[in-house]
Amino acid sequence: MKEIFTILFLLILPSLGLSQPMENETTADSPNFTKFDLIKPSYAVSAYNTDNSSPLNTIRNSPELAFISSAILPGSAQAVNGNWLRTGLFAAVEATAIILAVDYQNSAERKERSYERNADQNWSVVQYAQWLTEYHLVHNLSNPYISELRDDVAGLIPTFDTDIDWKAVDINLLRNAERSTRYITTDDQSANNFSHTLPAYGSQQYYELIAKYYQYQAGWRDYHDFHDQLGHTGNDFIQRYFFDRGGAYASPLFWQFAEDADRFNSLYRTGRTFQMLLIVNHVASAFDALFTVQLKQNRIEATSSIVPGRQLSMTVRF
């Protein structure tokens, strides 16, 4: 029976083949197509980023949120987008700047407090006021406030204790006398009046001025001992009532505290530099995140290929 069906199939097959038109043959009743047209075309489009409302995906696809994220925490938006090199760079700069800014700030504050404690024990407003009255006598200067100031400080002994000395001197009277006092220098030239009046005790400006301007050099504890060493005694005693434009008449304590002040101020400046670096790092990271997301949104990579069945494959990367 199987043999009979086999023979019949072999006899019918040629006739079926003859009834099929050739691939390149066209007839009036048949359309022009190939064997690939028998397969229904299919299309596949894939996108790496789908419409996902998760926070990370929102930052990944939103330039504005990426900007805000990295402005708050440098490197955060870069991490979300997989830019690990830049993430590490911004994070490293942030950590380093914070550590150094805090360290320099703390070091400056410690040195400044030490400077102030030592200055309180080595600069006396009483000694300075007494020197000022003698300065007027030596140079025969006219000052409407100097006689009253002389009476105010007469008989006082500098204690170099701020609680005692600052209560013993009428500070307003001293300031009025300062405003009417002229500089007399070692080059025998009379300069302008004093440029400053003594600031309030304990203020930042007070501690700055007493070790910055020669006007206040006579208030330091070692001032008269220093001039004794310079030989300003006897007929040369009056030399201690001059100002030297180069600072030669300022005592070692004046210069020591000037250096100490410059040292902690330098630390403050360095600390502020690292604080500025923090700001720059936040801004740079924010704009880098913004531009990165914008570029990714504007860059479309499309690849297409025709395969049997005319399947079109397209890949879109955001």
Side-chain angles (χ1 to χ4, degrees):
M1 190 67 177
K2 290 182 179 180
E3 290 80 358
I4 296 174
F5 281 111
T6 300
I7 294 171
L8 290 175
F9 178 75
L10 292 174
L11 292 173
I12 296 172
L13 182 61
S15 64
L16 292 174
L18 292 174
S19 66
Q20 294 289 339
M22 298 298 292
E23 290 180 7
N24 296 325
E25 180 182 353
T26 60
T27 66
D29 298 329
S30 62
N32 184 17
F33 59 84
T34 68
K35 62 183 179 180
F36 295 122
D37 292 316
L38 298 177
I39 303 175
K40 183 178 180 180
S42 63
Y43 302 91
V45 178
S46 62
Y48 283 84
N49 285 340
T50 59
D51 185 14
N52 194 323
S53 60
S54 68
L56 294 183
N57 201 66
T58 302
I59 293 175
R60 186 179 296 117
N61 294 313
S62 171
E64 294 80 7
L65 290 180
F67 180 90
I68 295 172
S69 176
S70 280
I72 296 173
L73 182 60
S76 58
Q78 285 81 1
V80 170
N81 282 285
N83 298 323
W84 302 114
L85 180 60
R86 281 179 286 180
T87 298
L89 175 63
F90 288 120
V93 172
E94 184 77 0
T96 302
I98 289 175
I99 292 172
L100 292 178
V102 171
D103 181 64
Y104 275 99
Q105 180 73 20
N106 291 340
S107 295
E109 290 177 355
R110 287 194 299 269
K111 290 186 179 299
E112 184 178 21
R113 287 193 295 268
S114 175
Y115 169 93
E116 292 173 354
R117 287 192 300 269
N118 292 330
D120 288 345
Q121 300 170 10
N122 288 282
W123 196 90
S124 170
V125 66
V126 170
Q127 178 170 295
Y128 167 67
Q130 290 176 333
W131 175 91
L132 189 62
T133 62
E134 295 163 359
Y135 173 85
H136 280 79
L137 284 175
V138 168
H139 298 292
N140 196 26
L141 298 177
S142 175
N143 188 322
Y145 302 98
I146 204 65
S147 294
E148 187 177 355
L149 179 62
R150 184 179 298 111
D151 293 338
D152 188 55
V153 298
L156 296 179
I157 298 176
T159 65
F160 295 92
D161 184 331
T162 55
D163 290 335
I164 298 174
D165 287 358
W166 275 81
K167 293 177 181 178
V169 178
D170 185 336
I171 300 302
N172 289 327
L173 179 60
L174 173 61
R175 290 168 180 164
N176 288 333
E178 287 177 309
R179 293 186 183 98
S180 301
T181 300
R182 291 184 297 139
Y183 279 106
I184 304 297
T185 62
T186 54
D187 54 11
D188 295 328
Q189 295 182 10
S190 177
N192 296 327
N193 285 359
F194 281 5
S195 56
H196 294 81
T197 58
L198 189 64
Y201 166 70
S203 65
Q204 182 273 333
Q205 191 178 22
Y206 162 75
Y207 288 111
E208 176 185 355
L209 296 189
I210 60 175
K212 183 176 182 180
Y213 294 100
Y214 301 146
Q215 172 184 340
Y216 298 108
Q217 64 187 16
W220 290 99
R221 182 190 289 270
D222 65 341
Y223 182 78
H224 290 292
D225 291 339
F226 172 66
H227 281 268
D228 288 343
Q229 294 173 10
L230 291 178
H232 294 165
T233 58
N235 293 334
D236 291 330
F237 186 83
I238 63 172
Q239 287 298 313
R240 66 186 68 202
Y241 298 104
F242 282 89
F243 292 100
D244 182 83
R245 295 180 186 273
Y249 285 4
S251 67
L253 278 177
F254 176 92
W255 293 112
Q256 175 188 324
F257 278 85
E259 291 175 0
D260 290 345
D262 183 68
R263 191 172 295 111
F264 71 71
N265 281 321
S266 178
L267 291 173
Y268 276 126
R269 287 191 294 270
T270 304
R272 286 193 292 269
T273 298
F274 284 109
Q275 292 172 15
M276 289 301 300
L277 179 59
L278 276 173
I279 297 174
V280 171
N281 191 50
H282 282 248
V283 173
S285 179
F287 278 102
D288 176 77
L290 173 69
F291 295 144
T292 297
V293 175
Q294 287 180 337
L295 288 174
K296 289 178 70 175
Q297 287 183 336
N298 294 331
R299 186 181 71 239
I300 299 178
E301 179 184 341
T303 60
S304 62
S305 61
I306 302 298
V307 297
R310 289 186 177 180
Q311 176 173 326
L312 178 63
S313 174
M314 179 176 288
T315 301
V316 181
R317 291 188 177 91
F318 297 97

